[in-house]
Structure formats: structure tokens, C-alpha cells
Amino acid sequence: MTLRQLWRDYRPNTLKLTLPAGYTLVLAAVFVALYVLLIEVALRVPALQSRLPAPSVRSQHFDFEIKLQRLREMGSVDCVFLGTSIVDRGLSPADFEQAYQDAAGGPITCFNFGVDGAGEYTGVLLAEYVMRAYRPRLLVFGVSPRLGNGWDEGSLAWLPWLKYQQGEFSPRGWLAEHSRLYGYSRPLANDLTGTLSGERRAFLDRMILANGFYPTDERITFPMLPGDEGRLERSNYAISEAWLSRLDEMLAFQRPPRTRVVIVEMAIHPVALEGRADRLSDYAASMSAITARAEAKGVPFFETNRLDVLAADENWADFNHLNATGARALSRWLGEQIARHAW
């Protein structure tokens, strides 16, 4: 027996894909790809999108994702409000627009991109995004010394979607920007399973207006709740060098006449400083530091803590946040001031 005959008769059995089996796998892959493509196309139909929750970019901040979708639906915007929850609940685009138009004689379209609990650096991060995507002519940063005694980039700084917007490629960042199936899968899964996340997202979807404003009808009560009392006692109004560095980044967006920047103090309730000489001193020093930095860059800084229109308790949700009544009063005042400002 020759060696070739021996190999033919005793060679081990090995897995070998015949043409039909391989063809089946290829055909299955094609059908899956077509199925995904059809879903992607369907999820881009406006009539269907209007019935779905806002798509997710895999952030833990549902209000940010809802606002991102609202902004995309607007398509274009002249003015964007940026900051944390104090902006989110404290500035009403509709009231600002009306007061601005009454004073300036021309219309302006604004959007509230304040994000609850995301850190004050969020304003800078989102300003970079809106400048690339929408090129508004006015950026309004809402700030408070109460947030100025620490450094926290916030969770959005590490979000793959936002990194992708900054030019840093990643598969998750690319999918969050380009795949509707990826974007809608999480909120739809939350809705179908009835999770607390789904309920929270649905609540925010109802509350956040088309212009990004989150109005609240809550009203401060006295004596304050223990949680609010504790936060008040821990408040520190001395701003750090790290916070001033963030302020410098906000001011750097000032590029007239194409883009102008406004810094607005988001006021605190009088009770926060009442009878506390140390807090009053820190607050005054912080205001002076902000004023000096803004003036050096030719950026207007509007102080609001002594406004009569905000003095009453009926304007406040808690010692640090305006309610809808206070937000409307502040926004009307601010719209008029900016319209009349001599740039």
C-alpha cells in the first residue's frame, strides 16, 4: 500500500463547509443586515420618532438626552443657555425671547441646555458642541459662587458620544451619533420592562419643554426640610482657582461679532447669606473676581442677587433654585438687559 492510499483511507474526519452551508451563512448575514437597515430607516421617519422617547447617547443624565433631541428638532438656534440645574430651572427661553424682542425690535430664538447634576464644567463642554453644530450668535452661561469651591469635570466629560463630537473616535461614540437602533434600544427597553429609569425618563420627557426649559412649581418652605438645611449649612461661596479657570474657558467663546458671550449670576435665596458675615464676605469677593475676569475679556456680567423681582419667596423652589415664577421674572429682566447692552 502506498503512502497516498494510506492517507486517503485513514485521514481524520475534519469539519469542512460545503458550498451550500457557506452560502446559507452568507445569506443569513445579508438578511440580518437588511433587517437592521430597515429598522434604521424606519426609526428616522419623523412620524414614528414623534411617538418614541428621546434616543439615548448612553448618558446617565436623562434630561441631557431629552434636551439634545429637543435641540435637534429645533434645527437652528440664535442663543443657548448653559449651566447646571440652576440654569435648567432658572431661565425660560420664551420669556427671554419676548422681552428681548420688545426691547431690541427683532426676534431671537433661544434654547435652555442646562443639565441637572452634571457639574459646572458641563457648560463649557456643551458650548463646544453647540458652536460646532448650530453656531449660535449668543452664549449665556449661568454661574453661581456656590458651585465654585471645587473641581469636577462631571460625567459628561467622559461620555463616548461627546468625545466623538470632539474628534476622538470610538465605536460607542460613533454608534451613539449615527445609529438610531442603538439610540432607541435603551429607552424602549426601559419602557417595555417598566424600570424606574424608564419612569424617570418618561417624567422628564413630559416636563421639559420644546425649548429645553424645565419649569417647576415647587415653592420654598420655612422651616426648611432637613436635607435643604444641611445643604445650606455646607454651602461655601469662595471660588477656587480651578473654578476661575473654567470661567476663563467660558469667556474664551467670546468672538465678536460672530459669537458673543454673557455671564449671568444665578441668584440664591436671601436666607443663604442672612446673618452670615463670612458667607457675605466670600460672596462679595467672588463677585469681584468674576467681574474682573469678565471685564478683561469685554464680556458683560449681570449680577442678579439683589434684584427686587426675585426677592419674594414665591419665586423660589429652594434656597438655590428658582421656580417657574422666578425663572420667568429673571428671564424677562435678562432679555431686556441684553437687548439694551451696548456691545
Side-chain angles (χ1 to χ4, degrees), residues 201-257:
R201 182 186 287 273
F203 171 76
L204 290 172
D205 206 7
R206 292 193 302 271
M207 294 298 298
I208 296 172
L209 305 183
N211 57 22
F213 179 43
Y214 178 6
T216 175
D217 293 327
E218 297 176 15
R219 181 170 172 176
I220 193 169
T221 57
F222 295 98
M224 287 191 290
L225 298 173
D228 288 338
E229 189 71 43
R231 282 190 289 274
L232 179 59
E233 288 304 313
R234 292 191 299 272
S235 295
N236 182 341
Y237 299 99
I239 54 179
S240 66
E241 283 301 318
W243 190 92
L244 288 172
S245 296
R246 290 201 298 271
L247 177 64
D248 288 339
E249 291 185 65
M250 299 175 196
L251 299 172
F253 286 98
Q254 171 86 338
R255 296 159 194 164

Side-chain angles (χ1 to χ4, degrees), residues 258-294:
R258 184 180 61 186
T259 306
R260 299 192 184 274
V261 169
V262 164
I263 307 295
V264 57
E265 172 196 12
M266 299 305 294
I268 54 176
H269 190 281
V271 72
L273 301 176
E274 230 168 43
R276 295 293 298 266
D278 55 340
R279 290 181 184 172
L280 282 166
S281 176
D282 287 342
Y283 201 97
S286 296
M287 288 294 100
S288 296
I290 296 171
T291 300
R293 297 272 177 131

Side-chain angles (χ1 to χ4, degrees), residues 21 29-30 41 67-68 74 99 115 118 150 165 173 203 242 300 305 309 328:
V30 170
V41 171
K67 290 189 177 199
L68 181 61
M74 284 187 72
V115 181
Q165 302 301 319
F203 171 76
N305 213 43
V309 294
R328 291 177 182 120

Side-chain angles (χ1 to χ4, degrees), residues 48-65:
L48 180 59
Q49 286 182 338
S50 65
R51 298 175 178 270
L52 297 174
S56 173
V57 293
R58 298 305 194 267
S59 162
Q60 67 186 36
H61 297 281
F62 297 150
D63 58 336
F64 162 68
E65 296 185 338

Side-chain angles (χ1 to χ4, degrees), residues 19-35:
L19 182 60
Y23 179 77
T24 301
L25 290 177
V26 171
L27 192 61
V30 170
F31 275 121
V32 169
L34 287 173
Y35 182 66

